[in-house]
Amino acid sequence: MADRQLPPTDIPAADRPMDPNRMRTGVPGLDTLLGGGLTPKTNLLLYGEPMCGKKLMAMQYIYQGLIEDNPGIFVLTDFGYGEWRAKMAHAGWNLAPYEQSGMLQVIDCYSRQLEPSLQDAGVISYADSPASLSSISMHIARVQDELSKSFPQHRLAFHSLSSILKETDSATFFRFMQFVVGKFRREGATAIYLMEKGMHDEKDVKMVEHLMDGVIEFDAGKLRIKGLNMSSDSWYHYYITDQGVMVRI
């Protein structure tokens, strides 16, 4: 788990200009480091060991968009929508208004493995499994097409790539990633992907990093940002509260 202690401040927040056109992540310290948030159409990898805070940061990112009238898509491969919704509620993030408006859309790639009879309903679309790459692509494309009719941009979070890579060979996975990363940019998506450290060959990790605009790596209560026009890859302490991930700068 992440370090819950606040380390000393090492970078003055006032020294970093904030761009109002960037997309805030919902993690204030991270947004300060990024100069206001993510540049639209960015593809960002969150890379770290299980339970390090990646999932919570991805949820913050999607919820921040929703409260700013920026729709979000969450792709779930490790657990179902009911569990994810409960995790959001535990952090005080109420999804009901965004479910009703259709601003939140969920591609559940997990639950049909347990209940094959599940049918798409409301904001939830069900892919058969994390290995059903054509089904996942089809569901995402349909949802993106629908959102693009009303919104020029949207957010997307993919939890997690590790489940897909575990179920497919590297070549198939890489072709899938090339397709979705390019499509997300064309469709105006600013996307975050999660990947588990310690589960994959280094060449597979580098393959994913090659497709990204940036990587946030988590390690022992610290994180660092690679790419995204950062001038250094310094480590910054972070901690976890009931309301989400906090980054100390």
Side-chain angles (χ1 to χ4, degrees):
M1 294 295 289
D3 183 1
R4 293 175 181 265
Q5 299 299 314
L6 286 173
T9 299
D10 53 6
I11 294 183
D15 289 350
R16 297 182 175 273
M18 305 296 277
D19 184 348
N21 296 315
R22 294 192 176 219
M23 305 180 80
R24 291 192 293 170
T25 65
V27 183
L30 179 59
D31 287 337
T32 299
L33 291 171
L34 295 175
L38 295 175
T39 302
K41 300 185 182 181
T42 289
N43 283 279
L44 173 65
L45 178 67
L46 305 185
Y47 181 59
E49 295 180 350
M51 300 179 67
C52 70
K54 304 186 304 297
K55 177 168 54 186
L56 193 55
M57 184 177 286
M59 292 192 295
Q60 285 172 262
Y61 169 68
I62 290 295
Y63 194 74
Q64 183 66 37
L66 294 174
I67 64 177
E68 294 180 356
D69 295 323
N70 187 215
I73 302 170
F74 214 111
V75 183
L76 299 169
T77 64
D78 289 7
F79 47 86
Y81 179 64
E83 183 179 350
W84 180 70
R85 195 178 192 277
K87 291 177 184 294
M88 295 286 282
H90 179 73
W93 302 326
N94 178 22
L95 296 179
Y98 310 107
E99 294 170 324
Q100 294 165 9
S101 67
M103 287 187 62
L104 171 67
Q105 297 289 325
V106 178
I107 315 297
D108 184 337
C109 311
Y110 176 84
S111 295
R112 268 192 182 165
Q113 298 174 106
L114 306 177
E115 298 181 58
S117 62
L118 286 171
Q119 299 296 314
D120 297 352
V123 300
I124 314 172
S125 301
Y126 293 100
D128 291 334
S129 75
S132 302
L133 302 188
S134 59
S135 175
I136 295 171
S137 299
M138 179 190 70
H139 282 300
I140 294 174
R142 178 184 58 77
V143 170
Q144 285 187 312
D145 288 346
E146 200 60 36
L147 289 178
S148 66
K149 294 176 183 177
S150 303
F151 300 93
Q153 297 176 343
H154 59 276
R155 301 180 181 216
L156 190 145
F158 210 120
H159 186 289
S160 88
L161 298 182
S162 292
S163 296
I164 294 177
L165 183 53
K166 184 175 63 176
E167 298 291 336
T168 59
D169 61 88
S170 295
T172 300
F173 173 76
F174 187 52
R175 287 195 298 270
F176 171 76
M177 287 301 299
Q178 285 180 306
F179 170 76
V180 298
V181 167
K183 185 177 189 310
F184 292 169
R185 285 197 182 103
R186 292 192 302 273
E187 296 294 333
T190 304
I192 285 181
Y193 312 78
L194 282 66
M195 193 171 188
E196 307 300 329
K197 183 184 290 189
M199 288 181 58
H200 310 291
D201 291 339
E202 185 65 18
K203 64 180 179 62
D204 291 331
V205 176
K206 293 299 183 185
M207 174 186 73
V208 175
E209 290 185 347
H210 173 70
L211 296 172
M212 299 289 117
D213 300 300
V215 179
I216 297 180
E217 181 181 358
F218 297 74
D219 185 59
K222 298 176 291 184
L223 59 78
R224 66 176 173 178
I225 306 166
K226 297 186 287 185
L228 302 180
N229 296 318
M230 293 288 290
S231 58
S232 72
D233 61 354
S234 300
W235 289 93
Y236 302 95
H237 288 268
Y238 72 94
Y239 59 105
I240 295 174
T241 73
D242 289 340
Q243 289 75 44
V245 176
M246 305 292 176
V247 178
R248 183 67 171 172
I249 59 173

